[in-house]
Amino acid sequence: MRIGISTGGGDCPGLNAVIRAAVKTAVGTLGHEAVGVEDGLEGLLRPNKLVQLSPARVRGLLPRGGTILGANNRANPFAYPVRGAEGVQEQDISDAVLGRLETLGIDAMMFIGGDGTQTIAQRLREKGLQVVGVPKTIDNDLMATDYTFGFDTAVNIAMEALDRLHTTAESHDRVLLLEVMGRDAGWIAMHAGLAGGADVILLPEIPWRFDAVLDKLERRRRAGTTFSIVVVAEGATELGGEAVVQEEALPGRVRRLGGAAERLADRLTDAGWEARAIVLGHIQRGGTPTAFDRVLATRLGHHAARMMDEGRYGRMAALRGTDIVDVDLTEAAGKVKVIGPDSSLLHAARDIDVSLGEG
Ligand code: F6P
């Protein structure tokens, strides 16, 4: 069998570890052939964008961040940006993609990606392609898997940033606000905030109130603590307000968020506090994966290769508890996993007096 492997959406620590495990299993152990499609599905639309993948080619990849196949979050074949007389417009070019796969003799595709990629995989499956999914996102917001690889690395990076911000916040008696990624779900903000001892954590799931944030800062000041640390997910919104958008959605792309922490810092400054906002940005996505992510990525890549060998298509490898299982792609595609109102994370945060900006 000739297997195609593609990494879709934004990059993420652990992608190379998935590719490595999938190739070692599928090619080295099971005797199939594997080719990497470069730059997401863009690689199927342009010449010379396939790379032969062998166990020798994936050697040394475990600690390497990014993806050797390139990533692309603008190559959705069902909404592909095409420049025409009326500017750039989204077109469905999925038939061309399927035709190209046939020409290339690719029997089945392994799609490593987040919600957008798994949705594309599901739609291509509906058109007859043999697909297997591997869940990926630093945001951890993909349904049907308990964790995605890349998340643990992002949380550790954000936690280290918070540890560093503590010492400078304390020295200067300041409120320091750290903006982390998380458009629709606050998993990074919540985990990093708890691990890094934040005083306030603002999530996309819980609209915040300025008075509630002020109340927490004032209580700390009255208790003699002159600094505070606030973690803000990029998608967190004030009650009745909107997310802070850097760039509206262009054809084939989602809108770009950013600036939520800066906006809150400005409000705090106006209220007489000395506040600074720091955007952690893509530092969360770069660099070497943690041990947890390397192991999770390896297990998922291995499982996905086995699924293909056994003909279990239309499914996505997933972590359930401590087991690697596989689930129907429809359980993940098009759905976002948020922190639910009954999450023990929320209860723990409230009970240890971390403000979530509510009330
Ligand atoms: O989905 C992962 C993610 O890192 C989001 O948290 C973030 O909003 C987005 O990607 C940023 O995308 P880009 O790299 O295209 O700006």
Side-chain angles (χ1 to χ4, degrees), residues 28-218:
T29 302
L30 300 171
H32 299 295
E33 187 191 350
V35 286
V37 178
E38 291 185 324
D39 301 335
L41 286 183
E42 189 78 37
L44 291 177
L45 306 170
R46 302 191 190 287
N48 307 320
K49 286 279 192 183
L50 288 192
V51 279
Q52 199 68 29
L53 295 172
S54 62
R57 177 68 186 80
V58 298
R59 193 169 295 142
L61 284 190
L62 259 185
R64 199 155 135 195
T67 160
I68 57 162
L69 297 178
N72 188 343
N73 46 18
R74 298 175 201 169
N76 179 353
F78 295 94
Y80 191 75
V82 177
R83 185 173 292 281
E86 290 172 26
V88 181
Q89 291 196 322
E90 292 179 355
Q91 277 182 22
D92 182 347
I93 57 154
S94 55
D95 287 335
V97 164
L98 292 173
R100 184 96 174 106
L101 284 166
E102 205 173 322
T103 307
L104 294 167
I106 295 177
D107 302 299
M109 281 295 301
M110 182 185 297
F111 288 106
I112 312 169
D115 168 39
T117 303
Q118 301 311 331
T119 303
I120 293 167
Q122 168 60 21
R123 291 187 70 183
L124 289 173
R125 167 204 193 181
E126 285 163 10
K127 294 190 102 173
L129 185 65
Q130 304 194 112
V131 298
V132 152
V134 177
K136 166 242 64 159
T137 165
I138 64 163
D139 296 342
N140 196 40
D141 61 356
L142 198 62
M143 283 297 261
T145 186
D146 288 348
Y147 286 99
T148 47
F149 66 86
F151 171 63
D152 184 65
T153 306
V155 168
N156 274 285
I157 292 167
M159 179 192 72
E160 193 197 331
L162 289 171
D163 288 347
R164 290 175 186 279
L165 291 178
H166 261 93
T167 61
T168 172
E170 187 166 14
S171 305
H172 285 269
D173 298 340
R174 282 174 173 159
V175 181
L176 291 184
L177 300 93
L178 180 70
E179 181 171 311
V180 297
M181 285 184 171
R183 308 167 60 78
D184 306 303
W187 296 103
I188 297 178
M190 180 53 100
H191 280 243
L194 288 178
D199 306 298
V200 180
I201 303 175
L202 304 179
L203 310 166
E205 291 88 342
I206 302 177
W208 53 267
R209 297 171 62 101
F210 188 60
D211 286 353
V213 175
L214 272 186
D215 176 62
K216 172 69 182 174
L217 303 185
E218 275 159 8

Side-chain angles (χ1 to χ4, degrees), residues 260-276:
E262 184 77 49
R263 192 168 285 184
L264 177 54
D266 288 346
R267 299 270 301 277
L268 291 171
T269 304
D270 290 346
W273 295 81
E274 188 166 346
R276 301 278 192 278

